[in-house]
Structures are given as structure tokens and as C-alpha cells.
Amino acid sequence: MKRDVALILGDGIGPEVMGQASRIVTEAGAEVNWIEAQAGEGALLRCGSTLPQETVDIIEQTKVALKGPLTTPVGGGYRSVNIRLRQHFDLYANVRRTRTYEGVATKYDNIDIITVRENTEGLYCGIGSNPDEHTAMSTRLITEAAERRIITYAFELAGKMGKKKVTALHKANILKATDGLFLRCFEDISAEFPNIAHEDMIIDAACMKLVTDPENFEIIVTTNLFGDIVSDLCSGLVGGLGLTCGNNIGEAAAIFEAIHGTAPAMAGRNNANPSACINAGIEMLKYIGQEQCALRIENSLIKTLKEGKVRTKDLGGSASCSMFADEVIRNME
Ligand code: NAI
């Protein structure tokens, strides 16, 4: 029986890359019934709301969504729809895997880093104020319950994936209250997983080490803002934002997406790399138990990137987004 999955095409390059990713999922023979839903700037123009109630209802019903990037205005305007979705559905774990692909030129051969980021609080909790026009405050909310939950998730994921080490990134030397609590939770929970090594690093030094010695990292666990930044850094190490996806996982629902944004300057040109969204589709299929289909697409994506006959501009080629997707479909066995 086909599984209902919400499909949000998104803004900017979203419809192009998501159009190709959803086409590939369908062409791979997935038992998926797409239910299109609106969100973001486009939804505001079309339906008068950045997050229509109908979209929330659809995800409540499907429990799973494949979502394109959504515009968030800089320095003002409406609140991030991504954060609203993550908080509404309590999608507490943001899991982003970056790994080297054969055929994609990078300085390193063997990067496979999974960033597990707390996704509902921290500096993105949405609490802030302007006491006067010259002063602004944002609250960094860290709760023991949320930190214990994400750290446990990271160690359990390490166990499931056969990873040997979890690294916590923090700034507990300066942010003593918030990251002090995060670090105490990390030390406490790591003791429950004696077979998995653990270490902690101050975030600034960790960024340097990620650039000079990335192969030494396996699973990173960290708070919301740090995880957002560090996972983009990791993506840069393996070929750019066009490759990496992010899984937003909760107890009752999950939303799969690319980690990149709407890339407005590229929108409508059919030249963005759809690989990140294809990877999001692969992760979504694994989540709903359609592993065979996921593997079929994954093998084809790896083969297409390795052969390098058809490459998008960000990876040094000249192929369009749709030409790349055609090649992935051709390479599916
Ligand atoms: P961005 O990720 O859209 O673009 C950053 C750079 O990466 C640009 O140079 C762009 O050309 C390149 N890039 C991104 N995706 C690519 C792809 N698939 N293929 C080839 N190159 C690609 O980040 P930016 O410019 O900071 O944000 C633009 C908008 O996207 C903002 O409104 C931001 O809030 C939103 N955004 C949404 C996200 C989401 O919905 N999950 C995540 C990140 C940003």
C-alpha cells in the first residue's frame, strides 16, 4: 500500500531541485503517494500565510514530509517557518550527514561526519526582545531534558551506525550557564555508553580541527546554532551545500530536506544541484521502511557523481539540474 508523504516544493530553487528529487523517488518505484502542501514565501503570496493550517494538518496526517528550502527574511519580517515546523512537531533531532563522494574533488578522501543538532531550543528558541531601539536581546534556552534527549539520540545513533566516537561541541568556558549544563549532560550520558568513545571540544578550536583534520570526527552532538553553522562547514569540506541533506526527527513526525537554502540568485535557471534533495528523498524512504528503493537511488547517485559525465555547475560541470536528475534515473538498476 502506498504511503502518504507531504511534499513541500519550497521557495527559490526549491521547486526545481525538489521537483527532480520527487520525480526520482517516484521513478525508483517507491510506494509513495505525494500530498502537496504549501509553505514559505510562495505560500504567503498564494494563500496569505507562510504556514497555512492546511499544511500543518497534512503533516499531522502523513507524519512524514519531504520539504524544499523556505525563504526567511533577514533582519526582520516573518519568523522562520522551518523553526516553527520543528517546534510544532517537536522534531528535536536535526541529523546531517556529510561524506566524501568519489568523483567529487575535495582535499580529503574519507570524511563521514554526522552532525546531531538540538533542533528546538538554544538561540533559535524564539525568545527575544528590543527593550529600546538601541538594544536587542536573544535568549539562549538550554534545558536539561532537551539536552539529555539529543545527547542520548547521538549515542544511540552511533551504536546503530557502528560509529566509535561522539564529540560534543560547546563554548562552556564562556557560556558557563548554558553550555555548562549541556556539557554536564554530555558527561553524564556518555557514561551510559561505555563502548562508544566520547570527547568534548570548544567550538572555535573544533572548527579549526574540522578544516585541518576532518577525518578524525565521526558523530558530533551540539546545540542549535553551533550545529547549524558546523554542518554547513562540513558540507563545504565534501563539495558544497548542493550535496548534503538534513533529517528533522521527532517521536511522532519527521521532515526531510536539503541543508541549503533557496539560493535566490540561481532560482528559475535550472542549474542548481539536486543531490541534497535527492539525499533527503533517500533518507525519507529509509525512514518509512522502503530501504530497497532508497538503496537503488543511493547507488545511482553515488555512481553518477563518481562517473562525473554529467555534473552540475557547483561541481565544475555544465549540466542542468534536470539533466543531472535524468542521469541518476538512467543509472538506476
Ligand atoms: P543558500 O544555501 O540558499 O545559498 C548559499 C550558497 O550556496 C549560494 O552561493 C548558493 O548559490 C549555493 N547553493 C545553495 N544550494 C545550492 C544547490 N542546490 N546547488 C548549487 N549551489 C547551491 O543560503 P543563503 O543565501 O544564506 O539563504 C537564502 C535563503 O534561504 C534565506 O532566505 C535563508 O533564510 C533560506 N534558508 C532556508 C533553509 C531551509 O529552508 N532549510 C536553509 C538555509 C537557508
Side-chain angles (χ1 to χ4, degrees), residues 13 17 67-73 82 86 241-242 257-264 266 272-273 314:
I13 58 169
V17 283
K67 184 191 77 61
L70 304 175
T71 302
T72 308
N82 293 317
R86 290 165 190 169
L241 292 176
E257 62 184 346
I259 73 165
H260 63 69
T262 59
M266 297 177 84
N273 186 344
D314 57 320

Side-chain angles (χ1 to χ4, degrees), residues 59-268:
I59 303 173
E60 296 273 7
Q61 179 236 314
T62 60
K63 315 274 186 233
V64 181
L66 188 62
K67 184 191 77 61
L70 304 175
T71 302
T72 308
V74 176
Y78 58 81
R79 197 167 170 240
S80 162
V81 176
N82 293 317
I83 293 180
R84 286 174 62 197
L85 283 169
R86 290 165 190 169
Q87 291 181 336
H88 180 88
F89 290 101
D90 195 22
L91 307 175
Y92 66 92
N94 188 310
V95 184
R96 296 176 163 187
R97 183 177 192 184
T98 42
R99 53 180 161 163
T100 34
Y101 287 99
E102 261 186 87
V104 177
T106 62
K107 251 175 100 179
Y108 302 96
D109 298 328
N110 198 22
I111 295 174
D112 188 1
I113 305 171
I114 301 172
T115 307
V116 177
R117 152 189 171 198
E118 205 295 319
N119 213 21
T120 58
E121 53 177 41
L123 262 173
Y124 292 0
C125 70
I127 307 170
S129 64
N130 290 80
D132 61 62
E133 61 175 311
H134 305 292
T135 314
M137 293 191 293
S138 293
T139 296
R140 187 168 194 255
L141 177 73
I142 298 289
T143 64
E144 187 173 334
E147 300 313 319
R148 292 183 74 89
R149 181 166 69 161
I150 196 67
I151 294 163
T152 305
Y153 185 97
F155 276 97
E156 285 177 353
L157 185 67
K160 269 186 231 152
M161 298 195 66
K163 298 285 181 186
K164 295 185 176 59
K165 185 171 70 177
V166 176
T167 306
L169 304 189
H170 62 85
K171 189 75 185 177
N173 51 335
I174 306 296
L175 305 171
K176 292 181 195 296
T178 49
D179 269 356
L181 175 56
F182 168 73
L183 196 53
R184 282 199 298 283
C185 293
F186 181 70
E187 280 158 6
D188 198 16
I189 286 165
S190 60
E192 295 171 21
F193 297 87
N195 298 326
I196 297 167
H198 67 280
E199 64 180 354
D200 70 272
M201 270 184 215
I202 293 175
I203 184 77
D204 33 351
C207 285
M208 191 275 292
K209 284 198 176 146
L210 274 166
V211 173
T212 56
D213 189 18
E215 287 158 336
N216 198 28
F217 289 82
E218 293 185 48
I219 293 206
I220 286 173
V221 64
T222 190
T223 49
N224 208 337
L225 173 67
F226 292 163
D228 195 3
I229 297 169
V230 155
S231 55
D232 273 30
L233 186 160
C234 292
S235 197
L237 290 171
V238 301
L241 292 176
L243 292 169
T244 308
C245 72
N247 313 341
N248 300 276
I249 310 286
E251 296 299 338
I255 298 181
F256 298 83
E257 62 184 346
I259 73 165
H260 63 69
T262 59
M266 297 177 84

